[in-house]
């Protein structure tokens, strides 16, 4: 969704703030894939970093909306998807922490 919306964004913004948004999305995807392939002990660290990236992405998207780069409809669509992703990663972390030996 985020990549597709880049077609409607002016070049200046596409190569600026929106490029940051796309890079953070790729980092989140990389983090979740890495966590799924890592050993149990390493997953927690990777998912905590991914959770920080998700929260950062929420703020960057908010900034894109406030500066007029993206409209409200796109903003709310992205926020809705990010909320789902955030819940999934948080649930995964909670499960791993409960499972972890004391």
């Amino acid at each position: 969704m985020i990549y597709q919306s880049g077609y409607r964004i002016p070049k200046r913004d596409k190569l600026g703030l929106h490029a940051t948004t796309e890079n953070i999305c790729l980092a989140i995807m990389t983090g979740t894939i890495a966590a799924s392939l890592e050993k149990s002990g390493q997953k927690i660290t990777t998912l905590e970093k991914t959770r920080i990236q998700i929260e950062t992405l929420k703020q960057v998207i908010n900034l894109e909306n406030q500066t007029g780069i993206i409209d409200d409809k796109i903003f709310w669509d992205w926020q809705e998807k990010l909320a789902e992703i955030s819940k999934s990663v948080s649930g995964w972390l909670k499960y791993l922490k409960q499972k972890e030996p004391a």
Side-chain angles (χ1 to χ4, degrees):
M1 282 175 38
I2 289 176
Y3 181 77
Q4 290 293 329
S5 68
Y7 293 115
R8 292 179 242 147
I9 295 174
K11 186 175 182 178
R12 177 179 178 267
D13 297 322
K14 186 191 306 188
L15 299 176
L17 190 56
H18 192 72
T20 301
T21 302
E22 290 177 351
N23 289 332
I24 295 171
C25 284
L26 289 172
I28 291 168
M29 189 175 4
T30 302
T32 55
I33 291 169
S36 71
L37 299 173
E38 289 176 335
K39 295 179 183 177
S40 291
Q42 297 169 330
K43 290 179 191 268
I44 292 174
T45 303
T46 303
L47 288 173
E48 286 174 343
K49 289 178 184 177
T50 301
R51 195 166 75 180
I52 291 169
Q53 292 169 331
I54 293 167
E55 295 305 316
T56 302
L57 182 58
K58 287 179 182 178
Q59 295 304 313
V60 172
I61 288 172
N62 187 33
L63 185 58
E64 280 192 85
N65 181 253
Q66 290 177 352
T67 56
I69 296 171
I70 59 171
D71 62 30
D72 289 338
K73 183 186 180 324
I74 292 172
F75 170 74
W76 289 113
D77 287 345
W78 291 356
Q79 287 294 341
E80 182 180 327
K81 296 293 183 193
L82 280 172
E84 291 175 27
I85 293 167
S86 183
K87 285 180 187 178
S88 295
V89 170
S90 294
W92 193 2
L93 265 170
K94 184 178 178 181
Y95 168 76
L96 290 172
K97 288 179 179 180
Q98 288 175 347
K99 184 179 160 189
E100 189 176 69

